Amino acid sequence: MPTRHGAISGIPGGTQVHCTTSLDPLQAEAIAAMPVSVRLIANIGVGIDNIDLAAARERGIAVSNTPVATEDTADLAFALILAACRRVGEGERFLRGGNWTAAGVAPPLGMRVHGKGLGLVGFGAIAQAVARRARGFDRKSGTGTGPAGRAPRRRQGPFSTPTWTSWSPGRMLFRSTRR
């Protein structure tokens, strides 16, 4: 696996595909240390600027990435919204712990998702895809954007403006970002 410094440790011989993420640089030294069996470096992310392409080309290793992940990211984001609202993780632990049979112990039900407010900071492709999914839950989506649907240039934070601090309890805030 790559480390934050790009060194490879423990890739077994016979490995044909090495997966990495955009957060892990893959430098020439790390690529040179890969087993000769590696034929593909697959970057789980949109770009490939974290990979030394010349070193990969020199070794005859193909490099791929995930060019468009907007819809998949929005799917996962909305799944997390549902899980957070409905306390899915807590409910799963409640059931596995056998608490559902205990008298007087209520399960963690969470809050309903239908009809609740959803704040989207910025309104790029991912946030727009999340908003489309939210329509199916009759969610009222608001954005923390400036003119022309773009996030304000100044970095004051989403909670420092009256728009966000005046929201009532039960509303959710979602921020999608590239990093």
Side-chain angles (χ1 to χ4, degrees), residues 61-114:
I61 299 173
V63 176
S64 70
N65 69 334
T66 310
V68 180
T70 300
E71 297 301 324
D72 298 317
T73 303
D75 286 349
L76 182 57
F78 211 80
L80 292 171
I81 289 168
L82 289 168
C85 286
R86 285 302 188 171
R87 299 171 63 185
V88 171
E90 292 171 75
E92 187 266 346
R93 289 186 296 278
F94 179 86
L95 290 172
R96 287 187 188 269
N99 297 320
W100 60 278
T101 60
V105 180
L109 298 176
M111 66 181 206
R112 79 182 329 197
V113 176
H114 184 82

Side-chain angles (χ1 to χ4, degrees), residues 10 27 49 85-86 111 121 160 173:
Q27 299 163 352
D49 56 342
C85 286
R86 285 302 188 171
M111 66 181 206
V121 177
S160 63
L173 175 66

